[in-house]
Amino acid sequence: MKRRSCRSYVTPALLCWSVACGPPPASPSEHHIDGDIDNGRVPDITLEPGELDFGLVDLMPPSEVSKDLEICNLGDADLHIQNIELEENAGSFSFGLPESVLVPPQACTHFSAFFRPSGPGDHEDYVVVDSDDPDRPVALALLLGRGGPSHRAR
């Protein structure tokens, strides 16, 4: 049985991860994830802050608050962000795409998280960042917020 060579690719426009067997895609917007682990160089992800508290956000009129997150590479090889998602995705939190899915050594990329409460009370979720960091392939940031009444005079 002949074995096929498989490679992993990340597509910045779609921020998705897939495995392709055979030759690499022809598109210049796709980056091969190969790392330099065999050379002793590895990426090292950090996600800061580890907790974002959006505080009390009015339900009426509907309001949205944003805060910034930073993905940094403290390692000495390129870090490839393979996926970003919300753990629960219950509808109160969302996020924008990072500036880049390739983070060079000793560099950072930024993205925003948003909170728009879907109802009153406490809301909680995690931003989950998957990468090719061999020691910590998943980085988490806790998102907290509270939906409350408007403070308008009645």
Side-chain angles (χ1 to χ4, degrees), residues 15 44-49 68-74 79-84 95-104 106-111 127-131 139 141:
L15 195 63
D44 184 12
I45 191 172
T46 64
L47 178 58
E48 297 294 333
D68 292 330
L69 289 134
E70 184 174 70
I71 301 170
C72 293
N73 179 6
L74 303 179
L79 174 75
H80 299 87
I81 300 167
Q82 296 170 335
N83 189 42
I84 300 176
F95 59 90
L97 295 177
E99 298 163 338
S100 174
V101 295
L102 172 68
V103 185
Q106 307 303 313
C108 298
T109 188
H110 302 88
F111 68 102
V127 171
V128 181
V129 179
D130 298 318
S131 74

Side-chain angles (χ1 to χ4, degrees), residues 5-129:
S5 173
C6 296
R7 296 184 177 111
S8 299
Y9 294 89
V10 66
T11 306
L14 299 176
L15 195 63
C16 67
W17 178 79
S18 63
V19 174
C21 294
S27 170
S29 65
E30 296 183 353
H31 303 284
H32 180 235
I33 299 175
D34 58 3
D36 290 321
I37 295 171
D38 292 337
N39 297 329
R41 299 180 347 172
V42 295
D44 184 12
I45 191 172
T46 64
L47 178 58
E48 297 294 333
E51 180 178 303
L52 280 179
D53 190 342
F54 291 87
L56 178 66
V57 176
D58 288 338
L59 292 170
M60 295 304 287
S63 299
E64 182 174 80
V65 176
S66 69
K67 293 194 178 236
D68 292 330
L69 289 134
E70 184 174 70
I71 301 170
C72 293
N73 179 6
L74 303 179
D76 52 10
D78 287 344
L79 174 75
H80 299 87
I81 300 167
Q82 296 170 335
N83 189 42
I84 300 176
E85 62 187 358
L86 295 170
E87 184 177 72
E88 298 293 323
N89 200 13
S92 292
F93 296 99
S94 61
F95 59 90
L97 295 177
E99 298 163 338
S100 174
V101 295
L102 172 68
V103 185
Q106 307 303 313
C108 298
T109 188
H110 302 88
F111 68 102
S112 295
F114 304 93
F115 175 57
R116 183 182 192 130
S118 57
D122 294 332
H123 299 264
E124 179 179 306
D125 207 339
Y126 284 91
V127 171
V128 181
V129 179

